[in-house]
Structure formats: structure tokens, C-alpha cells
Amino acid sequence: MEQDRPLDALNNSRNKRVILELKNGKQFAGKLKAFDIHINTVLEDTEELENNQVKRKIGTSFIRGDTIVLIAVD
Amino acid sequence: MEQDRPLDALNNSRNKRVILELKNGKQFAGKLKAFDIHINTVLEDTEELENNQVKRKIGTSFIRGDTIVLIAVD
Amino acid sequence: MEQDRPLDALNNSRNKRVILELKNGKQFAGKLKAFDIHINTVLEDTEELENNQVKRKIGTSFIRGDTIVLIAVD
Amino acid sequence: MEQDRPLDALNNSRNKRVILELKNGKQFAGKLKAFDIHINTVLEDTEELENNQVKRKIGTSFIRGDTIVLIAVD
Amino acid sequence: MEQDRPLDALNNSRNKRVILELKNGKQFAGKLKAFDIHINTVLEDTEELENNQVKRKIGTSFIRGDTIVLIAVD
Amino acid sequence: MEQDRPLDALNNSRNKRVILELKNGKQFAGKLKAFDIHINTVLEDTEELENNQVKRKIGTSFIRGDTIVLIAVD
Amino acid sequence: MEQDRPLDALNNSRNKRVILELKNGKQFAGKLKAFDIHINTVLEDTEELENNQVKRKIGTSFIRGDTIVLIAVD
């Protein structure tokens, strides 16, 4: 898999499950539906995780890019 | 539902109830009336939530985009 | 009331009383006299509120937009 | 007094005493000599205030706009 | 090795192991696959480190540039 | 002394001693050698101050503008 | 030494040892190899300092400009 630019890595993960870690320490997993250059992100079937357990389910979510630390893409 | 760009997910939620989680930990629910590219958002019939309970009602509210962590759109 | 863009909601509130919640947790109420795209805001007859009580009065105030979390506009 | 834009309120206060509240909780009073669109501000006869008392005097000061929460302009 | 611009140092480290230190105090090591001018970064075989020990493995990761303090490139 | 723009106040202080207060609470004094529109600043004969005492001397220093709260210019 | 602009001071320090103080309180010393207008910085022979002692050595490092408070350039 070639990835010249960081957004390519996100592009390769469209419609796949990713895990987001946020600046406030929260973790969200879901199917990556959309993102933009600000890393604003839309997840489907979003789950908030705590210690690798599902804490709650929140359907489709829009997550503002500037709150994101890391996206685990596989 | 197709969502190529994150703002499409918000657009699909106009006039529907959404829940916002802010950087200060507060949660607000309301009918999504407007938003812009900064994710500045206007909610109608805004309710502040605490532990999924309505804590107070504040009518129409303008919420500055850079305070938003997540918008649950369905 | 139509509000296609978030700033329309503020525009509809010119010369009306609004309540601002800031990132530092403070609340200010006053008559909305002016705002710009940064949400820099001028209030007249500004009152700092604490637990819905008037804590002090500070006349006309300029409030920097990037400190604002929420503006309750009605 | 007409104020269509927030900076007009500051403009009306040139050479008058204003009080600045900063994000670090400090308060400074002084004669408003200059400001720009970033709300970078120059005060003359600057006084740091604590509980409405003068804590120290620091002559002319340049205050960076992004540290400002509120400017009481009258 | 000539490095006129900071990004050259990152460019010289493509496909090599780097260690990232983030503003939240976390450390991640991995093979540098991509970066952009915002220092958004993609690592392969990402490992979270704690006291120089591998705490967990998270495959390919996208790390938002504005959370990065330092990248040790050799 | 006329000061129409805030940077004029800094310009009038070139080669004079100024005191900088930073967001992290530290104070630095020194001769103002250079600054730019971001308020990035170069001081010569820089002294870190604590309770108005010289805590340490650090020669010429470059101070990033976005860390500055206030510059006492006389 | 003339320094009309702050970056000139950094330019004069290329290939010399500088000390960086970061917003997270850490200090790094090393030979300044590169920097850009964001003050993104590359150090060679980087040493993390604690109480003026070398705490660890980390070779070549890229340090993101927005984490820097001060660069002692001589």
C-alpha cells in the first residue's frame, strides 16, 4: 500500500473500522465514512470505548478534527 | 445515505435533533438549524444534558465551532 | 424565523438581551450591540452572572470571540 | 453611540480608561492608546488590579490580543 | 546530511523508525510512511511506548500534527 | 509619543529594556532587538525574573510570540 | 550583530548550540540545523536537560514550532 501523503492513509480506510483517540482522552471506534483536510471526521456505528470495552453507542457522529490525536486505521 | 464530506453529515441533520459534546465536558441537545465551515452551530430548543437528563433549557443557542468535540447526528 | 447561517441567529438578536458563556466558565448578559465573523462581541449594560444572579455590572464590554462557548439568543 | 462592528466600540474608547480581563485571570487598567484587528492592545499608565485594588503600576504596556477575554470600555 | 529546512529532516527519515512525543505526554514509535506541512504523520507498525517499553501495538496510525512536540528521527 | 498601531509601541522600544510576561507565568527582561507581526521577539542580555529578582541570565533569546501575555515597554 | 527581524537571530545560530524551552516545561539543547517561519526546528546531537544536567540523548530531533517558548541562542 503506497501512502505518499497522510490523508491517503485515511482514504484507504474509508468504510473500514477505525479508532480515534481524542485530546480529552476519549476513544471512539466506528466505520470511517468521511473526512476533510481539517481531519473533521464522520463515523458510522460509533462506539465510545473505555479500556477496550464499549461504553456507549452513538450512531453516526461528526468529530471535529482539532480534537483528534490519533486515528488507528487498521 | 451518501456522505463524501463531513459537512454532508451535518447537512443531512438540519432540523433534526442532534447532541453536541463540548471541550468543557458539557452536552447540549437541540434541533440543528444552521452551521458553517467553522462548525459554528445554531440549535433550537436547546437543552443542556447531564447524565442523559435535561439540566436546563436555553431556547435558541449559538455554539462556537471551536468548542465542539463531537456531534451525534442520529 | 429563517436561519441559514449561524451568524443570522446573532443578527436576529441585535439590540436584544443575550447571555454569553465563556471558556473560563464565566457568564455575561447584556444587550447585543455588535459582533463580527470572529464572534468578537459588544454588549451594552453588561452583567456578570453567577448562579443566575447578577454578580457585577460592567457597562459596555468588548468580548473576544475565541473565548466564547455559547450565546443564548432568546 | 452607533456601533456596527465590535472594533468601533474600542475605537470610541481611544485615550479613555479601559479594563482588560485576561485568560490567565489577571486584570489590567489603563488608557487605551492603540489596538489592531488581533486585539493586540497598548495601554498607558497601566495598572494591574486585584480585587479592584491597584496591585502594581507598569507604565506603557503592549498586551497580546489572544490573551484577552473582555475589555470593559466604559 | 544537508538539512536546509526542517521538513528535510523528516524526509530523510521516510521508511525509517522514528519516535514521536505528543503534547499529552504519550510516545509512539513506528516506521515513518508519510507526513505533510502540518506535520500530520502516518506511522506503520506503531507502538505506544511507556518508559521505553512497548505498551501496546496499534498497526498503522495517523497522528495529527498539532499534537506533536518532538520527532526523534534517528 | 504617537502610537496609532500597537506595534508602534514596540518599535519605540527597540534597543531599550523591556519586560515580557509569558503565558507560563515566567518573566523575562532584556534589550528589545527585534520583533515581527507575530510578536516573535529577540532580547539581548536576557534575564529571567522571579519576584523582581534576577533568577538567571541567558544572553540573547528568541521568544515565540504566541507565548507572550504582556510586554512592559517603559 | 544586526538583527532586524527575529528570525535573523536564529539564522546567526545555525550550526551552533542552542537551548529550547518548551511549553510542556522540557528543555532541549543541540546544534541548530534548520528552522522555518513556524519555528519548526531541527537539532543535531539533541540532549534533554533537567536542572542543567543531561537527562537523555536523542540524536537528531524535529521540534514543532508551536511548542516552543524560548530559544537561547548564545
Side-chain angles (χ1 to χ4, degrees):
Chain A
M1 177 173 63
E2 258 332 286
Q3 302 172 332
D4 282 347
R5 297 163 302 177
L7 296 197
D8 292 343
L10 296 184
N11 219 22
N12 289 330
S13 299
R14 275 185 195 268
N15 291 309
K16 297 182 188 156
R17 191 174 184 265
V18 298
I19 300 180
L20 274 67
E21 302 192 14
L22 305 191
K23 291 182 181 165
N24 62 10
K26 292 190 176 179
Q27 282 196 334
F28 294 94
K31 196 193 289 183
L32 181 62
K33 297 304 291 181
F35 64 90
D36 62 22
I37 56 165
H38 307 293
I39 324 300
N40 293 324
T41 298
V42 173
L43 299 183
E44 224 173 64
D45 300 325
T46 311
E47 299 173 327
E48 185 177 347
L49 304 181
E50 208 169 62
N51 302 319
N52 298 314
Q53 304 293 322
V54 176
K55 188 183 171 191
R56 60 176 177 141
K57 302 191 173 203
I58 48 176
T60 300
S61 62
F62 171 99
I63 296 176
R64 206 170 184 272
D66 78 327
T67 69
I68 295 174
V69 173
L70 182 151
I71 304 178
V73 295
D74 66 0
Chain B
M1 177 173 63
E2 257 332 285
Q3 302 172 333
D4 282 347
R5 296 163 303 176
L7 296 197
D8 292 342
L10 296 184
N11 219 22
N12 289 330
S13 299
R14 274 184 195 269
N15 291 309
K16 297 182 188 157
R17 190 174 184 265
V18 298
I19 300 181
L20 275 67
E21 302 193 14
L22 305 190
K23 291 182 181 164
N24 63 10
K26 293 190 177 179
Q27 282 197 335
F28 294 95
K31 197 193 287 184
L32 181 63
K33 297 304 291 181
F35 64 90
D36 62 22
I37 55 164
H38 308 293
I39 324 299
N40 292 324
T41 297
V42 173
L43 299 182
E44 225 173 63
D45 300 326
T46 312
E47 299 173 327
E48 185 178 346
L49 304 181
E50 209 169 61
N51 301 320
N52 298 314
Q53 304 294 321
V54 176
K55 187 182 172 191
R56 61 176 177 141
K57 302 191 173 205
I58 48 176
T60 300
S61 62
F62 172 97
I63 296 177
R64 206 170 185 272
D66 78 326
T67 69
I68 295 173
V69 173
L70 181 151
I71 305 178
V73 296
D74 66 1
Chain C
M1 177 173 62
E2 256 334 284
Q3 300 172 334
D4 282 348
R5 296 163 303 176
L7 295 197
D8 293 342
L10 296 184
N11 219 21
N12 289 330
S13 298
R14 275 184 194 269
N15 291 310
K16 298 182 187 156
R17 190 174 185 265
V18 297
I19 300 180
L20 274 67
E21 302 193 13
L22 305 191
K23 290 182 182 164
N24 63 9
K26 293 190 176 178
Q27 282 197 334
F28 294 94
K31 197 193 288 183
L32 181 63
K33 297 305 291 181
F35 64 90
D36 62 22
I37 55 164
H38 307 292
I39 324 299
N40 293 324
T41 298
V42 172
L43 300 182
E44 225 175 61
D45 300 326
T46 311
E47 299 173 327
E48 185 177 347
L49 305 181
E50 209 169 61
N51 302 320
N52 298 314
Q53 304 294 321
V54 176
K55 187 182 172 190
R56 60 174 178 143
K57 303 192 173 205
I58 49 176
T60 299
S61 62
F62 171 97
I63 296 176
R64 206 169 186 275
D66 79 326
T67 68
I68 294 174
V69 173
L70 181 150
I71 304 178
V73 295
D74 66 0
Chain D
M1 178 174 62
E2 256 335 284
Q3 300 171 333
D4 282 348
R5 296 164 304 176
L7 296 197
D8 292 342
L10 296 184
N11 219 22
N12 289 330
S13 299
R14 275 185 195 269
N15 291 310
K16 297 182 187 156
R17 190 173 185 267
V18 297
I19 301 181
L20 274 68
E21 301 192 14
L22 305 191
K23 290 182 182 164
N24 63 9
K26 293 191 175 177
Q27 283 197 334
F28 293 94
K31 196 194 290 183
L32 182 62
K33 297 304 292 180
F35 64 90
D36 62 22
I37 55 165
H38 307 293
I39 323 301
N40 292 325
T41 298
V42 173
L43 300 183
E44 225 175 61
D45 300 326
T46 311
E47 299 173 327
E48 185 177 346
L49 305 181
E50 209 169 62
N51 302 320
N52 298 314
Q53 305 293 321
V54 176
K55 186 183 172 190
R56 59 175 179 142
K57 302 190 173 205
I58 48 176
T60 300
S61 62
F62 171 98
I63 296 177
R64 206 170 185 273
D66 78 326
T67 68
I68 295 174
V69 173
L70 181 150
I71 304 177
V73 296
D74 66 1
Chain E
M1 177 172 64
E2 256 333 284
Q3 302 171 333
D4 283 347
R5 296 163 302 177
L7 296 197
D8 292 343
L10 296 184
N11 219 22
N12 289 330
S13 299
R14 276 184 195 270
N15 292 308
K16 296 182 189 156
R17 190 174 184 266
V18 298
I19 300 181
L20 275 67
E21 302 192 13
L22 305 190
K23 291 182 181 164
N24 63 10
K26 293 191 176 177
Q27 282 197 335
F28 294 94
K31 197 193 291 183
L32 181 62
K33 296 305 290 182
F35 64 90
D36 62 22
I37 56 165
H38 307 293
I39 324 301
N40 292 324
T41 298
V42 173
L43 300 182
E44 224 174 63
D45 300 325
T46 312
E47 299 172 327
E48 185 177 347
L49 305 180
E50 209 170 62
N51 302 318
N52 298 314
Q53 305 293 321
V54 175
K55 188 183 172 190
R56 60 175 178 142
K57 303 192 173 204
I58 48 176
T60 300
S61 62
F62 171 99
I63 296 177
R64 206 170 186 273
D66 78 328
T67 69
I68 295 174
V69 173
L70 182 150
I71 304 177
V73 295
D74 67 359
Chain F
M1 177 173 63
E2 255 337 284
Q3 301 172 332
D4 282 347
R5 296 162 304 176
L7 296 197
D8 292 343
L10 296 184
N11 219 21
N12 289 330
S13 299
R14 275 184 195 269
N15 292 310
K16 296 181 188 157
R17 191 174 183 266
V18 298
I19 301 181
L20 275 68
E21 302 192 13
L22 305 191
K23 290 182 182 163
N24 63 10
K26 293 190 176 177
Q27 283 197 334
F28 294 94
K31 196 193 291 183
L32 181 62
K33 297 305 291 182
F35 64 90
D36 61 22
I37 56 165
H38 308 292
I39 324 301
N40 293 324
T41 298
V42 173
L43 299 183
E44 224 174 63
D45 300 325
T46 311
E47 298 172 328
E48 184 177 347
L49 305 181
E50 208 169 61
N51 302 319
N52 298 314
Q53 305 293 321
V54 175
K55 186 183 173 190
R56 59 175 177 141
K57 303 191 172 205
I58 49 177
T60 300
S61 62
F62 171 98
I63 297 176
R64 206 171 186 271
D66 79 326
T67 69
I68 295 173
V69 173
L70 181 149
I71 304 177
V73 296
D74 66 0
Chain G
M1 176 173 65
E2 256 335 284
Q3 300 171 333
D4 283 348
R5 295 163 303 176
L7 296 197
D8 292 343
L10 296 183
N11 219 22
N12 289 329
S13 299
R14 275 185 196 269
N15 292 309
K16 297 182 188 155
R17 191 175 184 265
V18 298
I19 301 180
L20 275 66
E21 302 192 13
L22 305 191
K23 290 182 182 163
N24 63 10
K26 293 190 175 177
Q27 282 197 335
F28 293 94
K31 197 193 291 182
L32 181 62
K33 296 305 291 182
F35 64 89
D36 62 21
I37 56 165
H38 307 292
I39 324 301
N40 293 325
T41 298
V42 173
L43 300 183
E44 224 174 62
D45 300 325
T46 312
E47 298 172 328
E48 184 177 347
L49 304 181
E50 209 170 61
N51 302 318
N52 298 314
Q53 305 293 321
V54 176
K55 187 182 172 191
R56 59 175 178 142
K57 304 192 172 205
I58 48 177
T60 299
S61 62
F62 171 98
I63 296 176
R64 206 170 186 273
D66 79 327
T67 68
I68 295 173
V69 172
L70 181 149
I71 304 177
V73 295
D74 66 358

